[in-house]
Structure formats: structure tokens, C-alpha cells
């Protein structure tokens, strides 16, 4: 449990201190977060695995304490993104943040199975294109 809590805390710290957080425009923060995940997928030094996702798959179904910790960890990981999506005017921000998380977790599984990190990069680029097409930058007056 301590390892999982530490992992979630470190992930939160990493994203809270990321350069995109300095952007004043929430849309720029949304796109910056997606770009940050792309960079993580591209970085050969960063393992392509998520302790939270692994524990969710392996322990949550049979261990209620871990299920609760995993659910809480995923909620923590989407809070900031949900807030930025909402501030930028993106429809159902919580569901969109969950979709983002599902794409990341699914990509990690496929990367492991196929030994191909380009899957994560391309999935994130596709998600970014979707965000940009559905929610274009508003014209400035």
C-alpha cells in the first residue's frame, strides 16, 4: 500500500511541476499535458509501465483495500486535467479526462504486448487531434 501511495504521490508531483502548468490559458495546459505524456512515451529512460494500472488489474478485483486505493489514485491523477478541461470549456470534462487516462493505460498494455512504444505516441497524438478538432482555439477579438 505504501508503494502505491508513494507512486501516486510522485506522479502527482511530476505533473504538478511540469512546464505546461505555468501556462495561463487552460487550453494550452490541456494540450501541454498531452504533449507531456507523448514525451514520456518517447523517453527510453522512462519505464512503460504504471504501478497503479498494474495493481488495478491484478489486485483490485480481489482486494477491496487495493481497489479503493486504485480508484482514489486514478481520481487524483485526473483531477488537474478535469479542472483544465472544464476551464477551457470542454464539454463533459470528467469523462474526457477518464478517456485520456484509459488511452494511457490501454497504450501501456499494448506497448508491453507488442514491444512497440510508438503505439502510445500515436494514441496520444490521435487524442490530441481529437481535442483540437472538437474544441478549436477560439478566435481572438
Amino acid at each position: 500500500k505504501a508503494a502505491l501511495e508513494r507512486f501516486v504521490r510522485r506522479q502527482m508531483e511530476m505533473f504538478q511541476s511540469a512546464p505546461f502548468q505555468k501556462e495561463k490559458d487552460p487550453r494550452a495546459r490541456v494540450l501541454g499535458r498531452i504533449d507531456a505524456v507523448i514525451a514520456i512515451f518517447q523517453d527510453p529512460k522512462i519505464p512503460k509501465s504504471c504501478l497503479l494500472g498494474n495493481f488495478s488489474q491484478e489486485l483490485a478485483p480481489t482486494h477491496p483495500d487495493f481497489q479503493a486505493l486504485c480508484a482514489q489514485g486514478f481520481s487524483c491523477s485526473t483531477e488537474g486535467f478535469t479542472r483544465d478541461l472544464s476551464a477551457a470549456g470542454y464539454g463533459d470534462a470528467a469523462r474526457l479526462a477518464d478517456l485520456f487516462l484509459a488511452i494511457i493505460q490501454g497504450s501501456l498494455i499494448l506497448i508491453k504486448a507488442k514491444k512497440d512504444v510508438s503505439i502510445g505516441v500515436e494514441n496520444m497524438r490521435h487524442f490530441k487531434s481529437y481535442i483540437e478538432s472538437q474544441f478549436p482555439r477560439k478566435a481572438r477579438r
Side-chain angles (χ1 to χ4, degrees), residues 47-132:
K48 305 309 176 260
S49 188
C50 175
L51 188 64
L52 185 56
N54 293 339
F55 277 20
S56 292
Q57 289 180 321
E58 301 299 329
L59 296 173
T62 55
H63 294 79
D65 289 347
F66 276 103
Q67 184 278 323
L69 282 172
C70 290
Q72 179 183 10
F74 282 132
S75 291
C76 287
S77 71
T78 59
E79 282 176 0
F81 196 47
T82 300
R83 195 170 34 255
D84 287 340
L85 286 164
S86 183
Y90 294 119
D92 190 343
R95 286 189 187 259
L96 201 52
D98 282 347
L99 175 61
F100 178 63
L101 182 61
I103 293 169
I104 293 169
Q105 292 299 318
S107 293
L108 289 170
I109 290 169
L110 291 172
I111 287 168
K112 287 178 194 175
K114 296 183 178 189
K115 297 185 188 262
D116 182 1
V117 296
S118 71
I119 293 167
V121 173
E122 290 308 312
N123 287 345
M124 281 295 105
R125 286 182 178 153
H126 185 74
F127 181 73
K128 184 177 180 181
S129 292
Y130 169 76
I131 293 291
E132 291 174 322

Side-chain angles (χ1 to χ4, degrees), residues 26-36 128 131-132 137:
R27 184 178 189 279
R29 289 193 303 273
V30 165
L31 298 176
R33 184 178 301 262
I34 297 168
D35 288 338
K128 184 177 180 181
I131 293 291
E132 291 174 322
R137 181 171 294 283

